[in-house]
Amino acid sequence: MKTLILAEHNGIELNPTVLQSVTAAQFWEAPIEIFVVGSNINAVAQQAASIVGVSRILQIDAEHLAPQLAEDVAELIASIGVEYQVILSTHSSYSRNILPRAAALLDVDVISDALEIHADNTYVRAIYSGNVNATIQSKDAIQILTVHGNNFVAANSNNSQVEIAKIAVQATQYQSRWVSEARFESARPALSSAKVVVSGGGSLGSAAGFDHLLSPLADKLGAALGASRAAIEAGFASSDILVGQSGIVVAPDLYIAVGISGAIQHTHGMKDSKVIVAINQDPDAPIFQVADYWLVGDLFKVVPELTATLQ
Amino acid sequence: MKILVAAKRVVDYNVKVSIKPDGTDVDVAGVKMSINPYDENAIEEALRLKAKGITTEVVVVSIGTAANQDVLRRAFAMGVDRAILVENDSNLQPLAVAKVLKSIVSREQPKLILLGKLSIDDDTSHTGQMLAALLDYPQGAFVSSLDVNENEVVVTREIDGGTETLALKLPAVITADQRLNEPRFVKLPNLMLARKKVIEIINGAELAIKLGIDIEPRQQLLKVAEPPKRKTGIKVGSVTELLEKLNAHEGIHI
Ligand SMILES: Cc1cc2nc3c(=O)[nH]c(=O)nc-3n(C[C@H](O)[C@H](O)[C@H](O)COP(=O)(O)OP(=O)(O)OC[C@H]3O[C@@H](n4cnc5c(N)ncnc54)[C@H](O)[C@@H]3O)c2cc1C
Ligand SMILES: Nc1ncnc2c1ncn2[C@@H]1O[C@H](COP(=O)(O)O)[C@@H](O)[C@H]1O
């Protein structure tokens, strides 16, 4: 049997998490194929073809596939799914949109965000917002899963190229139409991949407070800005920088939580960070339980001092 | 036009669940249960569409034990018109839930089906997309705003690093992100009135046999454990001390 990886890409380049999927897929010791769907994606397919450990690329290239609608991509996966023992992707809004739809068409359930792979049908995954780790065994004939990218080291690429098989498809008349996309433009690094993240909570008091206090610190650190839900609900920051269960899950080298209490819905989104710093005036704030370094103090004093001290 | 909303009963989001001493499962005995928060967003949105005159009837369905009646009563208190309980002793997994919901959709013929984007107990986030597949309907997953037109719904979906806008022909399946709306506050008198409302009860096992659908779990829980703890943190006394510690870390240069 074979393993199929659904490759996330933006039409121009492969998402780097595909390299982590390849490492996860190697667990099954079966030939690994990468499924690349889109429009004008020769370059993306070639990039996939140079990943070490992959045996073949399946490229489906058609104009109507440019937006990679779940309806289309799921149907394509389902049409070839029975040839595979495993179909996987890294856990993201992309894979979570498509794979469950494909799985239902194949009459299998999905293993979501696997942290560890223990056997060819046994996994550890987090439940209850990351409070509990569950070991589960799937009985499905095809294992369809998303894996927690950061838990798998990235595979390498080299100059070789494996076979790229191009599959032709007819344009579909689906009842779903792509209208537009808005990417959050920022001079700062993208939140989901930033090496340093500075996040603020509702305690920053105002949108101006949020900006005046945190932006200079983020600028000095070359950091992305994040926010807790309290900050967003109060209108201090826009919802696209929400960190947590309802927002983005980040795992930077350094995460600085400023005036954030540390509710599980928030820590769910940042507890995999390598080093966590928390600044909070409450010595019993739950955020200190996940912090590597914590400073009890008034953020309106501490943050300017920190910013000024940095070179 | 009719809207169907699916609502799950889950451990309240404020509760930190504990693990049974034998590690076989989480211990939810006596724990506060609530409606899954994202399902509250879904109900709220349906009610707002009703207030705008876009829909005439909002039906809510929950799958679970008799205890799920509390979730449906809360939905009544929020303002839904009808409630259906598909009673089942064991917890159904997403594919099975999607199959049961499909049968309710066949019966009710709603134009719009709203679910939460994720159940906060199992953290799966599959059911809506699976239901859409089984019905062969278009899907809008993780939706933070929606607009119903003549025969389509325009949705904005939260994707990594931005948003995407899609137009879906009705009937369609949508899963609600928390950013969709702020659910209304439920007043006590409404909760009292909701006690008198009638909940339609369907036997899940009988339904499955009648329709010939397989609702057996595909995944078996082998054990549960606490996630590995992070190393205990260090309290620092000053900004200078913090920077010293950080700079001593491999890979961090600030
Ligand atoms: C279904 C669901 C999903 C959710 N998803 C998310 C999510 O994705 N992300 C998220 O963040 N939240 C989420 N939440 C909300 C979450 O439960 C918390 O309410 C939220 O994270 C609190 O934000 P906060 O820590 O900024 O605010 P608060 O809880 O109000 O905490 C403020 C903190 O600031 C400290 N503070 C106040 N003043 C100062 C000062 N001058 N100096 C230093 N410290 C100070 C206080 O001691 C306190 O610890 C979700 C909730 C639900 C129900
Ligand atoms: N037992 C259930 N009863 C009713 N709705 C459910 C049930 N399980 C899941 N759902 C719906 O499916 C959504 C996503 O659930 P999940 O796929 O489990 O994350 C939930 O927010 C609910 O709207």
Side-chain angles (χ1 to χ4, degrees):
Chain A
M1 285 300 257
K2 303 181 287 186
T3 299
L4 186 68
I5 293 172
L6 169 64
E8 180 169 354
H9 65 86
N10 60 6
I12 299 160
E13 56 182 8
L14 215 53
N15 191 298
T17 59
V18 176
L19 299 167
Q20 297 163 329
S21 296
V22 171
T23 302
Q26 277 162 348
F27 184 89
W28 283 269
E29 297 179 340
I32 297 170
E33 303 193 347
I34 300 187
F35 195 58
V36 192
V37 182
S39 173
N40 282 318
I41 47 165
N42 282 335
V44 180
Q46 277 161 16
Q47 217 187 332
S50 67
I51 302 174
V52 178
V54 170
S55 57
R56 195 164 76 124
I57 309 302
L58 302 182
Q59 178 182 350
I60 304 192
D61 205 323
E63 211 180 316
H64 74 282
L65 295 173
Q68 300 180 59
L69 293 174
E71 291 81 352
D72 290 321
V73 183
E75 203 159 292
L76 294 171
I77 295 171
S79 70
I80 56 167
V82 290
E83 295 169 31
Y84 296 87
Q85 178 191 6
V86 183
I87 302 174
L88 67 82
S89 192
T90 35
H91 193 70
S92 69
S93 63
Y94 175 81
S95 59
R96 289 160 77 204
N97 186 34
I98 294 170
L99 282 184
R101 187 169 179 118
L105 296 175
L106 290 163
D107 196 37
V108 306
D109 230 322
V110 179
I111 299 104
S112 190
D113 206 11
L115 300 168
E116 295 165 26
I117 305 169
H118 280 190
D120 62 7
N121 62 357
T122 309
Y123 314 87
V124 175
R125 60 178 300 268
I127 54 175
Y128 289 94
S129 306
N131 268 331
V132 177
N133 277 359
T135 306
I136 55 161
Q137 189 171 60
S138 161
K139 295 180 196 152
D140 280 314
I142 308 172
Q143 302 282 301
I144 299 189
L145 65 146
T146 62
V147 297
H148 195 75
N150 287 324
N151 286 12
F152 299 87
V153 292
N156 291 317
S157 293
N158 62 18
N159 290 328
S160 64
Q161 287 269 310
V162 296
E163 178 202 350
I164 299 177
K166 295 193 179 176
I167 305 173
V169 288
Q170 301 281 314
T172 44
Q173 282 291 318
Y174 220 84
Q175 310 103 305
S176 177
R177 184 165 50 85
W178 186 85
V179 178
S180 63
E181 185 179 275
R183 290 272 158 197
F184 300 119
E185 299 297 338
S186 161
R188 297 208 171 84
L191 183 55
S192 55
S193 56
K195 293 255 178 274
V196 183
V197 173
V198 174
S199 279
S203 51
L204 279 135
S206 66
F210 194 93
D211 190 41
H212 292 165
L213 219 60
L214 298 189
S215 293
L217 178 59
D219 288 344
K220 279 214 170 156
L221 292 167
L225 276 181
S228 73
R229 176 144 167 247
I232 283 157
E233 274 183 351
F236 305 167
S238 77
S239 68
D240 52 284
I241 62 167
L242 175 65
V243 172
Q245 184 192 73
S246 326
I248 298 176
V249 174
V250 300
D253 292 342
L254 176 61
Y255 187 91
I256 304 181
V258 177
I260 292 178
S261 60
I264 55 168
Q265 293 86 8
H266 185 82
T267 56
H268 180 74
M270 45 67 83
K271 66 178 169 42
D272 286 345
S273 307
K274 288 216 183 77
V275 177
I276 296 173
V277 171
I279 298 165
N280 198 304
Q281 68 181 11
D282 172 7
D284 297 321
I287 189 79
F288 292 152
Q289 290 164 19
V290 298
D292 297 283
Y293 302 108
W294 39 290
L295 188 57
V296 178
D298 180 0
L299 64 92
F300 295 100
K301 294 209 185 78
V302 174
V303 175
E305 190 189 334
L306 178 59
T307 309
T309 317
L310 287 169
Q311 295 311 309
Chain B
M1 148 178 163
K2 191 194 279 188
I3 299 182
L4 181 72
V5 187
K8 188 178 183 183
R9 183 174 191 262
V10 296
V11 170
D12 187 81
Y13 80 95
N14 269 317
V15 174
K16 190 170 186 301
V17 289
S18 51
I19 288 170
K20 287 183 180 165
D22 63 0
T24 51
D25 205 342
V26 292
D27 192 357
V28 295
V31 160
K32 183 178 179 208
M33 305 294 284
S34 296
I35 186 164
N36 186 44
Y38 301 99
D39 304 354
E40 247 181 313
N41 295 108
I43 295 172
E44 177 64 35
E45 198 64 18
L47 295 174
R48 290 185 189 188
L49 290 170
K50 191 178 172 192
K52 283 191 201 154
I54 289 169
T55 177
T56 44
E57 189 180 26
V58 178
V59 181
V60 60
V61 52
S62 190
I63 304 163
T65 64
N68 280 42
Q69 296 205 14
D70 60 1
V71 159
L72 295 170
R73 301 240 174 256
R74 194 173 173 86
F76 269 133
M78 285 178 80
V80 305
D81 300 295
R82 272 172 47 217
I84 303 169
L85 169 62
V86 180
E87 212 175 306
N88 209 67
D89 289 338
S90 60
N91 270 337
L92 298 191
Q93 292 175 354
L95 182 62
V97 172
K99 288 178 179 177
V100 171
L101 290 177
K102 182 188 172 190
S103 75
I104 304 296
V105 170
S106 308
R107 193 185 79 167
E108 297 287 334
Q109 296 289 319
K111 274 279 195 265
L112 194 59
I113 302 137
L114 295 173
L115 295 88
K117 76 155 189 181
L118 163 112
S119 331
I120 62 164
D121 49 0
D122 294 330
D123 286 355
T124 37
S125 192
H126 301 156
T127 309
Q129 299 88 305
M130 291 186 149
L131 176 62
L134 298 179
L135 291 164
D136 198 21
Y137 286 180
Q139 74 184 46
F142 328 133
V143 164
S144 57
S145 83
L146 65 82
D147 217 341
V148 180
N149 299 329
E150 194 89 345
N151 45 29
E152 63 177 25
V153 54
V154 178
V155 300
T156 299
R157 313 176 44 230
E158 299 289 326
I159 58 173
D160 295 343
T163 60
E164 179 182 63
T165 302
L166 303 175
L168 316 173
K169 278 242 176 67
L170 297 174
V173 177
I174 285 171
T175 76
D177 185 272
Q178 199 161 35
R179 287 162 266 199
L180 187 56
N181 55 43
E182 182 67 40
R184 66 197 57 195
F185 185 76
V186 173
K187 297 192 196 81
L188 194 61
N190 288 355
L191 272 175
M192 304 297 281
L193 283 175
R195 283 204 205 154
K196 300 201 185 81
K197 296 268 167 81
V198 180
I199 293 171
E200 182 191 352
I201 295 174
I202 297 174
N203 182 302
E206 284 170 15
L207 181 80
I209 292 169
K210 196 173 88 194
L211 300 173
I213 52 178
D214 168 19
I215 56 169
E216 285 305 306
R218 303 297 179 83
Q219 293 171 12
Q220 196 192 341
L221 182 63
L222 300 183
K223 64 168 190 177
V224 295
E226 297 241 357
K229 282 232 169 9
R230 286 185 76 94
K231 244 182 35 226
T232 316
I234 296 171
K235 180 180 171 180
V236 292
S238 67
V239 164
T240 323
E241 191 187 345
L242 174 64
L243 289 176
E244 268 170 31
K245 296 271 197 252
L246 286 177
N247 280 319
H249 257 278
E250 206 185 321
I252 292 187
H253 311 282
I254 63 173

